[in-house]
Amino acid sequence: MQVKDKTVVITGGGNGMGREVVLNMLHKGARVAAVDVNGSALEETKRLAGTNADRLSIHVLDITDKDAVSAFPQIVIAEHGSVDIVINNAGIIQPFVRVNDLPYDKITRVFDVNFFGLLYMTKSFLPHLLERPEAHLVNVSSMGGFLPVPGQSIYGASKAAVKLLTEGLYAELRHTRVHVSIVFPGAIGTEITRNSGVDVPNMAAGVDAKKQAARTTSPDKAAEIIVNGILKNKNRIFVGGDASFLDRLYRLAPTFATNFIAGKMKDLLK
């Protein structure tokens, strides 16, 4: 699917991977409606858009507000004339604790943002996507959505729900003009931890920041992978070698993969 002159809605467009997808889409000639709860972050995205900002609208929106989301498609259509692509990127992680120690309000918040917010966006925009000559729905899950990560079990459960919902949507829409893609990011160099209001406890002293950075995919590279996947109408988009490797490993040897990740996370859960 070509994106030039198409209208793209992107949640989480104020920072990290979402911001880079906004900038990438603008560079390719798309019109973009960037959504975030943080207005100042959206203003920075607009500043970074430079001469492409004339094709960018920014929208402060809490995607957990079902009524506000239901009214949002008409706002985008009034601004841009149509909606062709929706990218549900916004998400938060949970505090790095075991389920037994995680308060219910934190559990509810993770599901409200990661699953219900995405569902509200999908339900609100899908009727409009179905009216277009060609359209695309993109939902961002996580490698934590197919592989259990201790200390992020509720986050993983929310992303697993996104995975199965999106696979169901793909099956339901496969004979329509709406393409459906699911994105599985691995470790991305974003500020999702800070933006989620989460501290990382028990981080081993003396961790080499450069080595840590080398193990992550940069947000701009992640955006390039996602946009290229959309251009190719790929159903499954893996972002980072870690995501694609662990997907294969978990399908081949799920118990080994689970124990492997648990070993990697043990210092965070002492």
Side-chain angles (χ1 to χ4, degrees):
M1 179 178 185
Q2 295 303 310
V3 299
K4 189 177 187 304
D5 298 325
K6 300 295 198 306
T7 299
V8 186
V9 177
I10 304 170
T11 65
N15 57 75
M17 193 168 69
R19 171 183 284 168
E20 294 298 332
V21 173
V22 169
L23 299 177
N24 191 299
M25 285 288 189
L26 289 170
H27 179 72
K28 287 182 169 58
R31 301 180 298 269
V32 178
V35 179
D36 207 288
V37 292
N38 187 328
S40 60
L42 284 172
E43 290 290 350
E44 178 63 10
T45 298
K46 188 170 185 176
R47 185 189 71 80
L48 292 170
T51 57
N52 291 323
D54 61 331
R55 286 181 279 106
L56 171 65
S57 62
I58 57 176
H59 307 268
V60 177
L61 177 69
D62 179 357
I63 63 170
T64 70
D65 183 338
K66 182 169 62 175
D67 291 337
V69 172
S70 296
F72 186 51
Q74 293 303 329
I75 295 173
V76 176
I77 291 169
E79 178 78 25
H80 296 282
S82 64
V83 179
D84 304 286
I85 302 170
V86 174
I87 303 175
N88 286 308
N89 164 76
I92 60 172
I93 63 171
Q94 67 171 80
F96 284 89
V97 297
R98 295 175 175 85
V99 173
N100 191 51
D101 302 316
L102 191 62
Y104 277 112
D105 63 326
K106 302 293 186 184
I107 293 171
T108 301
R109 179 62 179 164
V110 168
F111 264 87
D112 281 347
V113 175
N114 292 358
F115 180 72
F116 285 107
L118 178 147
L119 180 62
Y120 298 156
M121 287 288 294
T122 299
K123 287 275 288 177
S124 297
F125 277 96
L126 186 54
H128 302 281
L129 296 181
L130 285 164
E131 293 177 356
R132 302 299 295 158
E134 183 181 26
H136 209 127
L137 174 66
V138 183
N139 289 338
V140 177
S141 179
S142 167
M143 67 179 180
F146 61 75
L147 174 74
V149 179
Q152 289 294 317
S153 297
I154 296 300
Y155 167 78
S158 71
K159 290 299 189 176
V162 169
K163 173 182 179 292
L164 196 56
L165 170 67
T166 309
E167 290 170 345
L169 286 165
Y170 170 81
E172 292 176 0
L173 297 170
R174 62 197 180 98
H175 295 308
T176 73
R177 293 169 294 193
V178 179
H179 306 289
V180 178
S181 296
I182 182 166
V183 179
F184 298 104
I188 310 296
T190 68
E191 296 182 341
I192 189 172
T193 301
R194 188 183 73 178
N195 293 335
S196 302
V198 171
D199 294 323
V200 183
N202 303 317
M203 184 61 75
V207 171
D208 189 321
K210 290 184 179 179
K211 288 184 178 178
Q212 288 292 100
R215 298 189 188 107
T216 64
T217 303
S218 66
D220 60 328
K221 179 62 177 176
E224 181 183 342
I225 292 169
I226 292 169
V227 174
N228 285 342
I230 293 169
L231 293 173
K232 296 176 182 177
N233 294 329
K234 293 181 68 173
N235 172 233
R236 292 160 63 87
I237 303 171
F238 290 91
V239 181
D242 52 349
S244 55
F245 168 74
L246 287 170
D247 172 62
R248 292 192 299 270
L249 180 63
Y250 188 67
R251 286 186 284 116
L252 289 170
T255 301
F256 175 84
T258 298
N259 289 332
F260 173 76
I261 293 299
K264 294 290 186 183
M265 295 294 294
K266 66 180 186 300
D267 287 337
L268 294 176
L269 292 174
K270 287 181 180 176

